[in-house]
Amino acid sequence: MASLRKIHTHTPSSENTGFGTNASNYGGRFLNKDGRPNIRKTGLGFLEKYSWFHGMLAMSQIKFFLVITLFYILVNLAFTLIYYSIGVEHLKGLETNSELEKFTEAFFFSSQTFTTVGYGRISPSGFLTNSVASFQALIGLLSFAVATGLMYGRFSKPTAYLKFAHNALLAPYKNESALMVRVAPFKNTTLTDAEATLTLGMLIEENGEKVNRFFNLKLELAKVGALTLSWTIVHPINEESPLFNFTETDFKNTKGEIIVFVKAFDDMFSNTVVSRSSYTFVEIIYGAKYKPMFHQDKISSSTILELDKLNDYEKVNLRLTPSINESEKTLIKGKM
């Protein structure tokens, strides 16, 4: 509990964090590992709370192409059923006998109409069939316009291609200790004017009630001119730090989270990009340091950044800086 009493002497950075201070109304971590808020919204209809455009831009490439393919198949199946219900005899050029072959030919005619390919072997006849084919061609043009816009939006969307290490570390730092988080770029982009912010969110007890409090953590270096190699973000743990005197047991028994924001300018997109992640106290390794992840290539005279070593660390002895009270006790014992 000594660590909690020490926290009370620090002023929270902000009451307006967006996460809320009432701990009983907040569940889980503040941010997921991928940087998205750990929030699930209810009270509105699906179409009201969900933006399909943002969803299509944010989903993975595999899911995106699966959705596009599924939409293409379902739309053509729907129009195939319409043609089949009208009567395949209104589709001139069919050279089939079985019902399965007729359905298959109607499906291929539908896909050719939807994509406006129109090979010409099969053509609609009659007012109703021609009307359906004309409407399907319009739907096809609009659908491909939307798909093209989504494709362009996904490729042109500014993205911070940064990877964070799986674990934050409590490592030796000069004559004290420090909280360290490592981040590295993983695409062939050039990031400049990178800025980092660490925010500590912690569950503490005030006036007999448990509340969430947030603290800005001072960094050894909060900004770098260029982020081309890995960057270890360092928060020195001294008397000004809300983590001062925290022991390994305190990290295990206290509910807290380190929220990391990295902002940089991407020359390729000519835009500012942001990446974020978080580490709960159980994801902080006490007494460890990151292993080097880049070295010189003597053959090509270039620097090799080994991204597969981003999460590598080794255990070390952590020497804690004694508190003022502990120093006074030592001084008193010496005088005695």
Side-chain angles (χ1 to χ4, degrees), residues 10-272:
H10 290 79
T11 302
S13 61
S14 175
E15 299 288 347
N16 239 347
T17 59
F19 295 108
T21 59
N22 192 336
S24 62
N25 293 338
Y26 201 92
R29 60 194 305 158
F30 301 111
L31 288 181
N32 294 314
K33 291 296 289 183
D34 60 2
R36 298 183 181 183
N38 186 28
I39 302 294
R40 184 168 58 89
K41 300 176 182 178
T42 62
L44 291 176
F46 178 79
L47 296 178
E48 290 183 274
K49 70 177 181 180
Y50 184 78
S51 171
W52 67 268
F53 179 77
H54 290 87
M56 292 290 287
L57 292 181
M59 68 176 53
S60 65
Q61 291 187 8
I62 295 178
K63 288 184 178 180
F64 176 78
F65 286 109
L66 283 177
V67 170
I68 295 295
T69 303
L70 183 61
F71 173 79
Y72 176 80
I73 294 174
L74 291 178
V75 168
N76 282 292
L77 280 176
F79 277 97
T80 301
L81 291 174
I82 295 175
Y83 293 127
Y84 199 81
S85 62
I86 294 175
V88 292
E89 63 272 9
H90 294 284
L91 297 177
K92 293 183 177 181
L94 287 181
E95 299 176 355
T96 58
N97 296 320
S98 66
E99 296 299 322
L100 178 60
E101 290 179 344
K102 290 179 181 179
F103 187 86
T104 304
E105 289 285 352
F107 178 82
F108 288 138
F109 169 75
S110 173
S111 62
Q112 293 163 18
T113 304
F114 186 76
T115 57
T116 67
V117 173
Y119 291 117
R121 182 175 68 86
I122 302 175
S123 60
S125 64
F127 176 79
L128 186 57
T129 307
N130 277 285
S131 298
V132 174
S134 299
F135 179 71
Q136 184 181 11
L138 175 63
I139 296 298
L141 289 173
L142 296 177
S143 299
F144 276 92
V146 172
T148 303
L150 289 172
M151 291 283 288
Y152 176 78
R154 288 177 61 87
F155 281 107
S156 63
K157 182 180 66 173
T159 303
Y161 293 106
L162 295 174
K163 283 186 179 295
F164 293 89
H166 289 330
N167 298 100
L169 306 182
L170 253 296
Y173 175 73
K174 297 181 178 179
N175 294 325
E176 49 193 21
S177 60
L179 174 71
M180 298 186 181
V181 176
R182 187 155 70 176
V183 60
F186 65 97
K187 290 284 187 180
N188 56 335
T189 57
T190 302
L191 299 178
T192 59
D193 297 327
E195 299 181 32
T197 302
L198 292 187
T199 301
L200 167 65
M202 187 161 7
L203 180 65
I204 65 176
E205 187 174 333
E206 289 185 356
N207 301 323
E209 295 183 358
K210 292 183 178 180
V211 295
N212 292 323
R213 287 288 179 258
F214 297 87
F215 306 85
N216 285 332
L217 301 183
K218 294 183 179 180
L219 303 181
E220 173 202 32
L221 188 64
K223 185 175 181 178
V224 293
L227 184 52
T228 54
L229 297 173
S230 63
W231 180 19
T232 301
I233 305 169
V234 178
H235 163 64
I237 299 179
N238 48 37
E239 293 183 4
E240 298 180 356
S241 171
L243 296 175
F244 186 64
N245 279 342
F246 257 56
T247 64
E248 186 173 6
T249 303
D250 292 328
F251 278 102
K252 292 180 179 179
N253 297 333
T254 306
K255 187 176 181 181
E257 185 174 345
I258 305 296
I259 303 171
V260 188
F261 289 86
V262 176
K263 179 176 65 174
F265 184 80
D266 192 327
D267 287 345
M268 181 176 294
F269 292 108
S270 188
N271 206 338
T272 300

